[in-house]
Amino acid sequence: MMWALVLLPLLGAALSWLVPDNRRRVWVLPVFSLAQLGVSAALLVHTPPPSPAGWIWLDPLGKLVLMANSVLFTICSLYAVGYLSYRLKRPNRILCASLLVCLSATSLVVISQHLGLLWIALEATTLTMAPLIYFNHNARSIEATWKYLLICSVGIAIALLGLFFLAYSTIVAKQEVSLLLPTLIRDAAALHPGWRHAAFIFLLVGFGSKMGLAPLHTWKPDAYGEAPGLVGALLAGGLVNCALLALLRVYQVAVASTEGALFQQVLLTMGLVSMAFAAVFMARQSDFKRMLAYSSVEHVGIIAVALGLGKGALFAGLLHMINNSLTKGVLFLSCGNIHRAFNSKSTQFVRGALRRTPWSAALFLAAFLAITGSPPFAPFVSEFLIVSSAFGQGNHWTGALFLLFLALIFIGMASTVLPVVLGELPPDLERTRYRDAVPTVVPPLLLMGLVLVLGLWIPSPLQDLLHEAAQLLGGEA
């Protein structure tokens, strides 16, 4: 049944390619994404045992990423129906097919227990996202696509070298030669320390560039800024999770070896550096979609800080991964609506959105409050748990810097978001035909509802799953 996660979207991609009409083709997306969501839910309830060779299995970490990605993709596919109805003059065959192939690849990342297979699936997500970023077919989008492919592919190539080094460390140590995760965890302490250390460095740099940890984040502002809103939502809330899962697999091996403390310290440092970069570049940002790219850098940094702290912060870091995915979905979908209504993403021309697109502007404002850690929304809970863990462990400087960066980022984002939403409409405002409608407002509204619910109440099954996943990373029970 786990293979249905991979094969169903591929079938949908083939069907979407064969449908000749732009209007009808887009309906393939919600049909197959809902089917994939149903399979995901069934697997979360009744998880089959690992495949005979052990390459395929859905463990608690994979379940968390699968759940977040499936919900986000389903909501984005529903939004795509309304969004693409405004873009009928532009062919959407490649976009629809690529979205479903990407869903298939992300599902393969989730169920892979062999690091080589995981690498192949992660590279597939990189390649399938490229035509989506280029959807608008202009000079800026092709530049963004080129930068995205160049930096992410170099990062993935570096990660491949890291896998080679990890495999070679098993040969030098005369251990079983395998990239199966359970085998690597079992033999981690016995691997050759020199090659193992080199492997961890290359894997951290490689997967870190795919996540967008600073200073490896330089592809994000262009890609997020030029991609359609629904593609930006999947980049920030879906593909980041896949790269994070790959890093978590390496984290499992590192913690099982003698280098867990060093790996955590490097992650902690990179996390704080990412938050610092976001705080600096968020200030006076005139492009509100590029601003969201730096917000993404901030939040992968927050997750890295949680991983670096370890122990009780691991639960909070995994919870933040889910919260960030849902909230980024609201931000990108609502700002995509605002962009379409004003035909601009510059704060020079986009002001007073609450008057032209009241629902989208209100959602954008609410999501801004959520993503900056304001109660009663879900990110507040996970960020509070992380900073509490930092102070509880005696890492006072980490906790203080964490709070400082959060405050600076709030001020920086507010200086962009508030004029966009609450300012006065420009006198020379361009006339456009987009206005808020049910197909483009309800999807982000559903996501916003989930963000609010998780801020007030975390269901017991989700809490149990988070605890199980944290224990796989060496967290507290």
Side-chain angles (χ1 to χ4, degrees):
M1 190 176 181
M2 280 189 286
W3 281 110
L5 293 172
V6 179
L7 298 178
L8 264 177
L10 287 179
L11 177 61
L15 181 60
S16 69
W17 190 265
L18 295 174
V19 174
D21 182 58
N22 270 1
R23 289 182 182 273
R24 293 191 179 93
R25 184 185 301 115
V26 70
W27 287 100
V28 176
L29 287 173
V31 168
F32 278 88
S33 63
L34 284 168
Q36 197 264 0
L37 179 64
V39 173
S40 301
L43 288 172
L44 290 175
V45 176
H46 300 291
T47 307
S51 63
W55 286 43
I56 301 296
W57 188 48
L58 189 60
D59 65 358
L61 285 170
K63 288 179 180 179
L64 286 176
V65 176
L66 176 65
M67 177 174 59
N69 285 4
S70 296
V71 169
L72 180 64
F73 192 95
T74 300
I75 296 295
C76 286
S77 69
L78 294 171
Y79 174 87
V81 175
Y83 168 75
L84 291 175
S85 69
Y86 288 94
R87 309 294 303 273
L88 288 175
K89 292 181 180 179
R90 188 172 297 284
N92 59 35
R93 174 180 275 119
I94 291 176
L95 181 135
C96 292
S98 295
L99 280 172
L100 288 165
V101 173
C102 187
L103 177 61
S104 175
T106 59
S107 299
L108 184 57
V109 169
V110 163
I111 61 176
S112 296
Q113 291 287 303
H114 189 282
L115 296 188
L117 181 62
L118 185 149
W119 182 91
I120 292 171
L122 198 61
E123 174 65 359
T125 65
T126 301
L127 297 176
T128 54
M129 267 292 164
L132 302 178
I133 297 171
Y134 183 55
F135 179 70
N136 288 317
H137 289 194
N138 54 41
R140 293 176 66 90
S141 65
I142 196 170
E143 179 186 354
T145 305
W146 174 250
K147 186 179 290 187
Y148 162 79
L149 279 174
L150 180 65
I151 296 173
C152 286
S153 295
V154 169
I156 290 294
I158 292 172
L160 181 61
L161 286 175
L163 292 181
F164 288 158
F165 293 160
L166 194 59
Y168 191 66
S169 70
T170 65
I171 297 172
V172 176
K174 295 184 169 63
Q175 300 295 319
E176 181 183 350
V177 181
S178 174
L179 286 177
L180 279 171
L181 188 63
T183 305
L184 288 171
I185 293 173
R186 183 194 67 201
D187 299 335
L191 300 181
H192 187 276
W195 287 106
R196 182 184 62 200
H197 187 70
F200 288 159
I201 293 173
F202 275 69
L203 289 167
L204 179 57
V205 171
F207 293 142
S209 67
K210 178 75 173 175
M211 278 179 65
L213 283 168
L216 310 168
H217 68 287
T218 50
W219 62 270
K220 277 190 169 184
D222 290 295
Y224 287 23
E226 299 307 318
L230 74 98
V231 176
L234 293 173
L235 277 168
L239 264 69
V240 162
N241 290 349
C242 291
L244 173 61
L245 181 59
L247 189 64
L248 292 178
R249 299 308 189 193
V250 182
Y251 187 95
Q252 288 180 267
V253 180
V255 169
S257 72
T258 57
E259 300 190 55
L262 177 61
F263 198 78
Q264 289 176 321
Q265 190 59 47
V266 173
L267 278 172
L268 182 62
T269 302
M270 290 185 74
L272 290 173
V273 168
S274 296
M275 294 181 72
F277 265 75
V280 170
F281 287 100
M282 198 86 76
R284 299 183 180 275
Q285 185 57 245
S286 61
D287 184 324
F288 57 84
K289 288 183 76 175
R290 289 176 71 90
M291 175 198 70
L292 297 183
Y294 292 112
S295 175
S296 179
V297 174
E298 173 208 358
H299 285 275
V300 294
I302 288 174
I303 296 169
V305 168
L307 294 175
L309 290 170
K311 300 179 182 178
L314 294 171
F315 174 94
L318 294 171
L319 176 61
H320 196 73
M321 175 191 72
I322 296 172
N323 296 341
N324 177 59
S325 292
L326 300 176
T327 313
K328 280 297 192 301
V330 183
L331 282 167
F332 274 97
L333 297 184
S334 58
C335 91
N337 292 342
I338 296 170
H339 179 198
R340 186 63 39 205
F342 286 81
N343 199 28
S344 174
K345 50 194 177 69
S346 170
T347 55
Q348 181 181 352
F349 304 105
V350 182
R351 290 177 178 271
L354 203 57
R355 292 175 175 82
R356 177 167 273 199
T357 54
W359 282 95
S360 296
L363 284 167
F364 191 52
L365 181 61
F368 150 69
L369 293 173
I371 205 67
T372 51
S374 305
F377 301 107
F380 168 77
V381 177
S382 48
E383 289 177 7
F384 179 80
L385 290 174
I386 292 169
V387 76
S388 298
S389 181
F391 284 114
Q393 294 178 35
N395 289 312
H396 301 297
W397 277 108
T398 298
L401 287 172
F402 190 92
L403 291 174
L404 173 64
F405 294 146
L406 287 182
L408 292 174
I409 288 165
F410 179 89
I411 295 170
M413 282 194 77
S415 66
T416 299
V417 173
L418 294 182
V420 166
V421 174
L422 302 173
E424 292 295 328
L425 287 169
D428 54 346
L429 184 62
E430 180 182 348
R431 296 177 65 89
T432 62
R433 70 188 185 95
Y434 177 83
R435 294 295 181 272
D436 278 338
V438 170
T440 52
V441 168
V442 170
L445 186 62
L446 291 174
L447 285 174
M448 197 69 235
L450 290 174
V451 173
L452 178 60
V453 168
L454 288 178
L456 300 173
W457 170 65
I458 303 175
S460 296
L462 178 57
Q463 287 191 49
D464 294 341
L465 187 58
L466 286 165
H467 281 298
E468 292 172 15
Q471 288 177 47
L472 288 179
L473 300 174
E476 296 174 346

